[in-house]
Amino acid sequence: MTERTYRIGEAARLLDLEGYVLRYWETEFAQLRPGRTPKGQRVYSEADLALLRRIRELLHERGMTIEGARRVLAGKGGPVARGEDVSPESGLPAAGDASRQLLLDVEQELARIQEGLRRFPRRRS
């Protein structure tokens, strides 16, 4: 039995992305190489869709750069802020005291910013 494939429009709809995004990611991620029909149209396998979901997660949900996502997908991790190691599984900094302290510092700064914003009335357009 042949594996189900999806044309670019179907794949884009399933992933809630635009077709041009899939074409762009194909140029940026060596692992992403969809098949082609005899007429040259892209067809994505289930494995391609799984890879696209992972790329979307890394870029859109975790806010990683393309280079960072490439390293995660290659299993290399690589340094991020303050020289921390990246977990290949999650793409996030490895848990450690420095990471926890950084997160606490960011949370405190966000709380200060939110408090400052509450002092100013919202302008209505």
Side-chain angles (χ1 to χ4, degrees), residues 9 19 25 31 37-38 42-43 48 63 65 76 80 86 92 109 120:
W25 286 354
Q31 304 92 325
T37 67
R42 289 169 176 83
V43 288
D48 292 327
T65 63
K76 295 179 183 171
V80 291
V86 173
L92 297 173
E109 183 62 21
F120 295 99

Side-chain angles (χ1 to χ4, degrees), residues 98-118:
S99 296
R100 281 191 268 289
Q101 186 58 51
L102 178 61
L103 287 172
L104 288 172
D105 293 346
V106 168
E107 286 175 345
Q108 289 172 351
E109 183 62 21
L110 285 172
R112 281 194 288 271
I113 291 169
Q114 287 175 330
E115 183 57 38
L117 290 173
R118 283 189 199 105

Side-chain angles (χ1 to χ4, degrees), residues 48-61:
D48 292 327
L49 290 181
L51 177 58
L52 286 164
R53 283 185 192 97
R54 180 70 170 137
I55 292 169
R56 183 188 61 199
E57 174 196 3
L58 294 171
L59 298 178
H60 293 194
E61 295 168 25

